[in-house]
Amino acid sequence: MSLWVDDYRPDSIKTLSYHNDITEQIKRLGNSGDLPHILFYGPSGAGKKTRINALLKEIFGPGIEKVHIDMRQFTTPSNKKLEIAVLSSNFHMELNPSDAGIHDRLVIQTLIKEIAQTQQIDANSARKFKVIVISEADCLSKAAQQALRRTMEKYMGNLRLILCANTTSNILSPIRSRCLLLRVPAPSCDQIASILLDIGNKVEIDLPMQLATNIAQSSGRNLRKAILMLEAAHLQNQILSPSTAVPIPEWEIYIKETARFIVRNPSPQSLLEVRTRLYELLAKCIPPPTLIRMLALEISKSVNDRIKPEIIHQAAIYEHRMKGGQKFIVHLEAFVAKAMSIHKREMLNLY
């Protein structure tokens, strides 16, 4: 049994339902005889991966769907073993080098160069190049991006790169200048509600328009999250009504509770309990940047307006520092301590 977000994902350009201007541009790229390096960027849940898959299918045909997953092993200079999951077909390969952490450069230098030096397997294909899709390209270290730039220049003859990122601010300008940039904005709440109603018809459930609108607004214009919330609501309530409560992920509720605890108890003793909560959230695979952003936003909702800019500024500082290493808990705890200090100072000034 698979999730609705996978079952009803568009699998071709014809089935894409919003951002028609981007769809037309993708269609022209797919019908052209060549393909540049492309950088898809936009917020999470906007449909970047769906459009990448639709483009690949337009270029190579249905053979792109015959994929298998390999676990590739790498050995670091310190003899540490790393395993990276690689999704591949005869025409393309999809991977996330940032899964290797600070060793992402090793993945770029070995795996991608190895693929770049090989020719297209299918002799009947009109395109003589392979495509490598790199997820979370904005999470790559600078060293890995520099190695990627050299690969892009050297193996352009039989390799095309499609990068997928949430933002371009963390990607080096030499890489951006070598790619066609395609921004995929988040769908509007009306577009998300329309897609939810369409899915409701396909699974034969009576989805009220008001509930679809509520889910779209609660999802933060994240289509993937909205579909998951709809499925969760259906599992919890077999009969949906306009007043049906929109299900909120437990980890989001836990972060909100943690933020309220930080504001109520800004003390060193409370910091120890917050550390335990942070470890629990990290153990549930919540991305540290998402965690620190949500904490900052939730804390800022409960403090004096005068210190809100300072808390958001400190969150940005510690999120930036977080990219320099792998001990995320250190930076998360440092931000919490700083937020407690700022809030405590403001409380003392008020009295």
Side-chain angles (χ1 to χ4, degrees), residues 345-351:
R345 182 195 65 201
E346 181 65 17
M347 291 172 62
L348 293 175
N349 289 338
L350 290 176
Y351 295 102

Side-chain angles (χ1 to χ4, degrees), residues 154-204:
K154 188 173 182 180
Y155 301 106
M156 181 66 180
N158 58 340
L159 173 70
R160 299 293 185 275
L161 290 176
I162 297 181
L163 310 180
C164 185
N166 290 338
T167 176
T168 59
S169 60
N170 298 329
I171 298 179
L172 298 178
S173 55
I175 291 182
R176 296 200 304 266
S177 65
R178 288 164 173 79
C179 294
L180 171 66
L181 272 61
L182 290 180
R183 179 176 177 267
V184 183
S188 66
C189 289
D190 291 339
Q191 290 170 332
I192 292 178
S194 176
I195 293 172
L196 294 180
L197 290 171
D198 183 56
I199 292 176
N201 291 332
K202 291 178 180 177
V203 298
E204 299 180 349

Side-chain angles (χ1 to χ4, degrees), residues 126-343:
R127 276 81 172 185
K128 299 303 180 183
F129 55 83
K130 293 192 71 171
V131 174
I132 296 181
V133 180
I134 298 180
S135 304
E136 299 183 14
D138 51 334
C139 295
L140 295 175
S141 65
K142 289 186 177 180
Q145 292 189 45
Q146 290 167 353
L148 187 63
R149 174 183 60 82
R150 292 190 289 271
T151 302
M152 294 170 69
E153 295 173 344
K154 188 173 182 180
Y155 301 106
M156 181 66 180
N158 58 340
L159 173 70
R160 299 293 185 275
L161 290 176
I162 297 181
L163 310 180
C164 185
N166 290 338
T167 176
T168 59
S169 60
N170 298 329
I171 298 179
L172 298 178
S173 55
I175 291 182
R176 296 200 304 266
S177 65
R178 288 164 173 79
C179 294
L180 171 66
L181 272 61
L182 290 180
R183 179 176 177 267
V184 183
S188 66
C189 289
D190 291 339
Q191 290 170 332
I192 292 178
S194 176
I195 293 172
L196 294 180
L197 290 171
D198 183 56
I199 292 176
N201 291 332
K202 291 178 180 177
V203 298
E204 299 180 349
I205 62 172
D206 186 13
L207 176 62
M209 181 63 188
Q210 183 60 47
L211 179 58
T213 303
N214 293 342
I215 292 176
Q217 293 173 348
S218 301
S219 68
R221 297 174 61 190
N222 184 324
L223 180 56
R224 178 175 56 252
K225 183 178 178 181
I227 297 174
L228 291 171
M229 292 169 75
L230 172 61
E231 187 171 6
H234 173 61
L235 292 174
Q236 294 173 8
N237 308 273
Q238 294 301 319
I239 299 177
L240 299 178
S241 66
S243 59
T244 299
V246 177
I248 300 176
E250 291 184 2
W251 64 270
E252 290 189 10
I253 297 175
Y254 197 63
I255 290 178
K256 292 179 180 180
E257 293 175 351
T258 303
R260 288 194 291 267
F261 179 80
I262 291 170
V263 174
R264 288 196 308 265
N265 307 284
S267 65
Q269 293 77 14
S270 301
L271 189 59
L272 294 176
E273 184 172 341
V274 173
R275 176 191 294 174
T276 303
R277 287 172 166 264
L278 294 175
Y279 270 121
E280 291 177 4
L281 288 164
L282 291 174
K284 294 183 181 297
C285 298
I286 306 302
T290 300
L291 180 52
I292 197 170
R293 289 172 202 164
M294 286 196 64
L295 270 178
L297 291 175
E298 293 300 326
I299 291 173
S300 65
K301 291 178 182 178
S302 305
V303 298
N304 193 295
D305 289 345
R306 288 183 298 183
I307 62 174
K308 287 181 180 180
E310 187 176 358
I311 288 178
I312 299 298
H313 177 67
Q314 292 298 326
I317 291 175
Y318 285 104
E319 182 184 353
H320 178 71
R321 291 178 180 176
M322 200 181 287
K323 298 174 184 176
Q326 291 185 308
K327 298 293 184 181
F328 302 122
I329 186 64
V330 174
H331 305 286
L332 288 168
E333 192 174 1
F335 164 69
V336 171
K338 189 69 176 180
M340 284 183 173
S341 173
I342 295 170
H343 181 48

Side-chain angles (χ1 to χ4, degrees), residues 14-29:
K14 294 179 181 179
T15 55
L16 296 176
S17 55
Y18 58 93
H19 296 335
N20 294 331
D21 52 339
I22 301 176
T23 302
E24 287 300 320
Q25 190 170 5
I26 290 175
K27 188 174 182 179
R28 289 195 298 269
L29 287 170

